[in-house]
């Protein structure tokens, strides 16, 4: 019984990735994130704000306040020099896109972008720093 349950869990875990990929969700979420980061780089806070979920838009109220928060709290995202994408995964019922940004200081930072569906496509509902792995612990 335990073996059967473990097999079912493994199938469900590995099946989730291809389903997301087949639906084109990864391509869509990446495009949203790329455009928001490009908008920050161009100082276009209105365009960046458009990619935020309704929850985030209500929380910050307007593009200028949202842009100021990103510029002050996430300077590596505001001034991204390089961008790479990791896995798209569902965690605790939330769709998370791993993103690695390299800021102006040349240091890479990993973030999980929470993505939510909207009538206009995908929106960013939060950005969470990913702690680097401990080395030599």
């Amino acid at each position: 019984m335990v073996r059967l349950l473990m097999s079912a869990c493994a199938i469900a875990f590995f099946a989730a990735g291809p389903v997301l990929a087949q639906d084109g969700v990864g391509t869509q979420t990446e495009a949203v994130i790329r455009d928001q980061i490009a908008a920050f780089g161009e100082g276009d806070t209105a365009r960046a704000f458009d990619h935020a979920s309704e929850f985030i838009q209500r929380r910050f109220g307007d593009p200028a306040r949202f842009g100021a928060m990103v510029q002050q709290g996430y300077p590596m995202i505001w001034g991204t020099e390089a961008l790479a994408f990791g896995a798209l995964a569902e965690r605790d019922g939330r769709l998370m896109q791993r993103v690695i940004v390299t800021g102006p200081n040349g240091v890479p930072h990993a973030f999980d972008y929470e993505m939510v569906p909207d009538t206009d496509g995908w929106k960013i509902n939060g950005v969470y720093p990913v702690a680097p792995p401990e080395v030599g612990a």
Side-chain angles (χ1 to χ4, degrees):
M1 181 65 171
V2 171
R3 182 178 287 174
L4 179 61
L5 181 60
M6 288 175 53
S7 295
C9 288
I11 290 169
F13 176 79
F14 289 111
V19 169
L20 293 173
Q22 289 171 359
D23 289 346
V25 172
T27 303
Q28 295 166 22
T29 59
E30 286 182 18
V32 169
I33 295 165
R34 278 184 198 284
D35 194 58
Q36 186 183 63
I37 289 174
F40 287 136
E42 297 163 14
D44 188 347
T45 57
R47 188 171 102 219
F49 194 61
D50 283 342
H51 291 300
S53 69
E54 186 177 320
F55 168 77
I56 297 296
Q57 289 183 3
R58 280 194 317 264
R59 184 171 180 196
F60 289 96
D62 64 62
R65 287 181 53 197
F66 177 67
M69 178 278 298
V70 173
Q71 192 172 20
Q72 294 168 10
Y74 299 90
M76 68 291 287
I77 292 174
W78 183 267
T80 297
E81 296 289 328
L83 177 64
F85 290 89
L88 175 66
E90 187 175 306
R91 284 188 223 113
D92 300 323
R94 301 182 319 172
L95 188 63
M96 306 296 272
Q97 173 67 63
R98 178 70 47 93
V99 179
I100 297 89
V101 298
T102 302
N105 62 359
V107 177
H109 300 270
F111 294 93
D112 281 339
Y113 275 64
E114 181 181 356
M115 305 302 294
V116 295
D118 187 81
T119 56
D120 298 330
W122 291 94
K123 299 288 184 170
I124 300 165
N125 197 49
V127 177
Y128 306 96
V130 176
E134 292 187 32
V135 179

